[in-house]
Amino acid sequence: MRILGVSAIVALLLGLGLAPLASAQLPIGGDITNVVPVVTSVTVTGSSFDPTSGTTTSIPVTTVITDTNGCNDLTTGSSSVTVAVYTSGDVVLVSPAALTYASCSLGVAATFSGNALMPFHAAAGTYKVRVAATDQAAGAVSASLVTAPTFTYGSLVAMTTAASFSFSAAVAPGASTAVSQGIDITNKGNGVMDAQVSGTALTLSSPSASIAVSNVAYSVNSDMSSSTALSGSATSLAAFDLAAGASSSKTLYLQLTAPSAASQYLPAGTYSGTLTVTAVSG
């Protein structure tokens, strides 16, 4: 009798547990794997470029990045697509710069375009373009430098100087101006440069007078040592040797020696002439 009683209680409890429900909601989920993007292609529009004096030269670049998670994976969050320029020895020259999203094909192939900016002072030679991409989930890829597209960068000889120059103080007949005065010459090309100099006589319009061009001396030394008389013909400063660089400059020092009144009439006034400085390859 005790065994039958236990069985009846169990059956009753099971019957309560099997009561049906009208509806049920339960969470479900699954993970989508992030797939690292692939650099499908990189193209440089053009094969050779010339430096632009004092500024950068744009190197147009287009790339297609394939991401099986979708094009938006490369345009949202912290994603990025960049281009950098390397030397032929695989040393980075131009740091990575962002490319701009252009279009999407088949939902997974994203096209980006933009420019790598070459500095004017980069040496002439062959350079490589490298594209890198990072998706919004931090999956990253960099194109191979072995198969990277290349371009050639030409040579440029260029310079800038001040628009004008005046000696700091008037000078008496027969005397010379103070030393350590001159003009700064800045190399705006991408190679070592020398300079050629020439000039004209200094003239006064009224009353009419002039000072011969040879009364102006020039030197690369601030104390005017090893100076040379200026002439009307271009003369090379072979030892100028101004290296290329973002702000590479050197001073050409000048000194005026006024003729004495015993040698010529030299009325007071402001005399003016022209100094010509020409950049040449060093």
Side-chain angles (χ1 to χ4, degrees):
M1 292 295 295
R2 285 195 295 269
I3 294 174
L4 291 174
V6 172
S7 299
I9 293 172
V10 171
L12 177 62
L13 291 175
L14 289 173
L16 292 173
L18 292 172
L21 299 174
S23 66
Q25 292 182 337
L26 64 160
I28 63 171
D31 293 333
I32 301 298
T33 301
N34 184 63
V35 180
V36 175
V38 174
V39 179
T40 305
S41 66
V42 181
T43 304
V44 176
T45 305
S47 59
S48 62
F49 302 86
D50 290 324
T52 305
S53 177
T55 187
T56 56
T57 296
S58 295
I59 313 298
V61 177
T62 300
T63 184
V64 176
I65 309 294
T66 300
D67 191 323
T68 55
N69 294 104
C71 289
N72 286 348
D73 216 36
L74 297 166
T75 61
T76 58
S78 59
S79 61
S80 66
V81 176
T82 61
V83 60
V85 177
Y86 285 71
T87 67
S88 58
D90 294 346
V91 177
V92 65
L93 174 76
V94 178
S95 298
L99 295 175
T100 302
Y101 173 74
S103 63
C104 179
S105 176
L106 303 177
V108 295
T111 298
F112 291 79
S113 62
N115 294 297
L117 300 179
M118 285 289 288
F120 70 88
H121 51 85
T126 300
Y127 292 89
K128 300 178 180 181
V129 167
R130 186 182 215 180
V131 165
T134 302
D135 64 23
Q136 58 85 27
V141 62
S142 293
S144 170
L145 283 171
V146 175
T147 57
T150 63
F151 65 91
T152 58
Y153 202 50
S155 299
L156 175 67
V157 178
M159 50 153 275
T160 58
T161 65
S164 62
F165 169 79
S166 295
F167 292 101
S168 60
V171 62
S176 299
T177 56
V179 297
S180 298
Q181 300 183 67
I183 59 170
D184 289 332
I185 299 173
T186 302
N187 188 345
K188 293 295 185 179
N190 63 346
V192 176
M193 65 158 280
D194 286 328
Q196 292 181 340
V197 293
S198 62
T200 64
L202 306 181
T203 60
L204 179 68
S205 58
S206 181
S208 180
S210 68
I211 300 173
V213 64
S214 58
N215 282 70
V216 177
Y218 61 88
S219 175
V220 294
N221 303 309
S222 60
D223 62 359
M224 295 304 297
S225 58
S226 303
S227 64
T228 303
L230 192 64
S231 74
S233 301
T235 303
S236 294
L237 290 168
F240 199 65
D241 292 335
L242 181 55
S247 56
S248 179
S249 64
K250 186 176 286 189
T251 303
L252 177 66
Y253 296 95
L254 301 167
Q255 186 174 42
L256 169 65
T257 299
S260 65
S263 62
Q264 70 172 80
Y265 174 51
L266 199 67
T270 301
Y271 290 70
S272 61
T274 301
L275 172 70
T276 300
V277 182
T278 304
V280 294
S281 180

